[in-house]
Amino acid sequence: MTSSNSSIEQLASFYVSGIPGCEDVQHFISIPFCVLYLIGIVGNCTVLHIIHTDKSLHEPMYYFLAMLSLTDTGMSISTLPTVLRTFWFDAKEIEMNTCVAQMYFIHTFSLMESTVLLAMAFDCYVAICDPLRYSSNLTPQRIVYIGVFIVFRCSTLLPVVLVHIPTFSFCHSHVLSHSFCLHQDVIQLACSDISFNVLYGLFVVAFYWGVDSLRIILSYALILCSVLHIASRGGKLKALSTCVSHICAVLILYVPMIGLSLVHRFVEHSSLIIHITMADIYLLVPPVLNPIIYSIKTKQLKIKSDKKTEFLPK
């Protein structure tokens, strides 16, 4: 009876991991993580505050940027508790339901970020290819509809697959590869039939990430065709410069995500450090770099940020 109860308790928990081989210095390793989280959360909250308080920024481009900042903030907050618990207090146990909830928020915000970037690609397309109808195509009401659609599209997808995880048996290791719960990491520890989860995961990658990326590529193909018809070289450069921030945001999200997916599915025996590094880059780097990139490349945001620091004591 005692053995049975012990087994049930074990099945109710997982154990997240820090960086293998660095347990003695994990308090020092937590410093760069804390800095990244601080930069990401403060940077995105600053962008949101500037857009909210300055009515001159109440335009489609900045509404989409606010959506991106909200999504980035959600991604950071989703992983923050378990990462800092692991490095600060060496508290690695995480209950099954908590792990599933964290998976839901991490993957939902990741899907939302991809969809927001698609919406921003459409914004760039309309601004460059059909500027005369920009205001009529992207009215505030339509942007609200787009935001609601993004939330609905991404938040209703994952419960279908995550609801199965508490029913799985985990008869081997309960130690995860990361400091947070990822779907592809958890199901690899299951002894049950995980074929549905694997196929559904591939469907999500193909239908959501794949379709979003193809539509973004199509948008830029149309943008490039339109730009090539601009007579002046200066006009071409000016049109393309409006897309630089968005292209950077797309690359810093998609490249680590594709790399992490490939590592988990096709390179099972690769170094654990590679898995950990790819996952950390995938979840930590976009929230940190996006506000920096947009603040540097977007003239209005840069001006507002400078004004906020203009009257600080020197």
Side-chain angles (χ1 to χ4, degrees):
M1 185 69 177
T2 304
S3 168
S4 176
N5 290 338
S6 174
S7 175
I8 292 172
E9 290 176 3
Q10 287 180 352
L11 290 176
S13 300
F14 292 106
Y15 296 90
V16 296
S17 300
I19 298 178
C22 301
E23 289 79 6
D24 296 335
V25 292
Q26 64 183 13
H27 291 92
F28 296 101
I29 295 174
S30 70
I31 295 175
F33 280 92
C34 291
V35 171
L36 289 175
Y37 277 118
L38 184 64
I39 294 172
I41 294 173
V42 172
N44 285 292
C45 288
T46 301
V47 171
L48 288 169
H49 175 70
I50 292 173
I51 294 173
H52 174 70
T53 56
D54 192 331
K55 292 184 178 180
S56 67
L57 300 181
H58 292 182
E59 300 175 0
M61 171 186 172
Y62 297 104
Y63 289 141
F64 289 126
L65 179 56
M67 293 181 195
L68 184 66
S69 294
L70 279 171
T71 304
D72 282 335
T73 303
M75 285 181 67
S76 295
I77 293 174
S78 297
T79 59
L80 179 66
T82 53
V83 171
L84 295 188
R85 274 199 337 146
T86 301
F87 286 111
W88 283 356
F89 308 110
D90 199 30
K92 298 182 178 181
E93 185 175 2
I94 180 170
E95 293 183 355
M96 171 71 75
N97 291 334
T98 305
C99 186
V100 171
Q102 186 179 52
M103 275 188 279
Y104 173 78
F105 286 111
I106 289 175
H107 293 295
T108 294
F109 282 118
S110 298
L111 292 172
M112 287 178 64
E113 178 135 358
S114 174
T115 310
V116 170
L117 290 174
L118 174 59
M120 296 176 81
F122 176 71
D123 174 72
C124 292
Y125 164 75
V126 176
I128 293 175
C129 300
D130 197 7
L132 297 179
R133 292 194 293 177
Y134 181 78
S135 298
S136 60
N137 283 331
L138 290 173
T139 62
Q141 186 178 22
R142 287 186 179 177
I143 292 173
V144 170
Y145 289 154
I146 291 172
V148 171
F149 171 75
I150 289 172
V151 173
F152 179 80
R153 178 183 189 250
C154 301
S155 62
T156 58
L157 174 74
L158 294 173
V160 176
V161 67
L162 296 183
V163 72
H164 295 280
I165 292 179
T167 66
F168 290 161
S169 61
F170 298 87
C171 52
H172 300 303
S173 172
H174 290 236
V175 180
L176 301 174
S177 303
H178 310 292
S179 304
F180 37 79
C181 295
L182 295 177
H183 174 257
Q184 57 266 42
D185 192 20
V186 170
I187 62 172
Q188 286 181 352
L189 303 180
C191 301
S192 306
D193 181 14
I194 60 170
S195 55
F196 174 77
N197 287 61
V198 172
L199 292 174
Y200 197 85
L202 291 173
F203 162 77
V204 171
V205 171
F207 187 75
Y208 281 76
W209 290 88
V211 170
D212 287 353
S213 61
L214 288 175
R215 288 175 176 173
I216 291 172
I217 292 170
L218 177 60
S219 297
Y220 275 102
L222 296 173
I223 289 171
L224 187 59
C225 290
S226 179
V227 168
L228 291 176
H229 286 87
I230 299 175
S232 66
R233 184 169 180 269
K236 292 178 180 179
L237 292 176
K238 184 178 180 181
L240 290 175
S241 67
T242 62
C243 303
V244 170
S245 299
H246 180 258
I247 292 172
C248 292
V250 170
L251 291 177
I252 63 176
L253 176 71
Y254 274 87
V255 172
M257 185 280 299
I258 293 171
L260 180 63
S261 297
L262 292 175
V263 165
H264 270 290
R265 285 180 170 83
F266 304 113
V267 195
E268 296 181 2
H269 303 293
S270 61
S271 171
L272 188 58
I273 294 295
I274 296 176
H275 288 251
I276 294 171
T277 303
M278 292 298 297
D280 289 339
I281 292 174
Y282 162 55
L283 292 173
L284 289 177
V285 171
V288 171
L289 292 186
N290 282 337
I292 296 174
I293 291 169
Y294 275 94
S295 295
I296 292 173
K297 294 299 296 181
T298 306
K299 186 177 179 180
Q300 290 91 329
L301 272 182
K302 187 175 187 300
I303 291 172
K304 300 303 175 185
S305 298
D306 291 343
K307 285 184 177 179
K308 284 185 176 294
T309 59
E310 184 178 350
F311 301 104
L312 292 178
K314 299 183 179 180

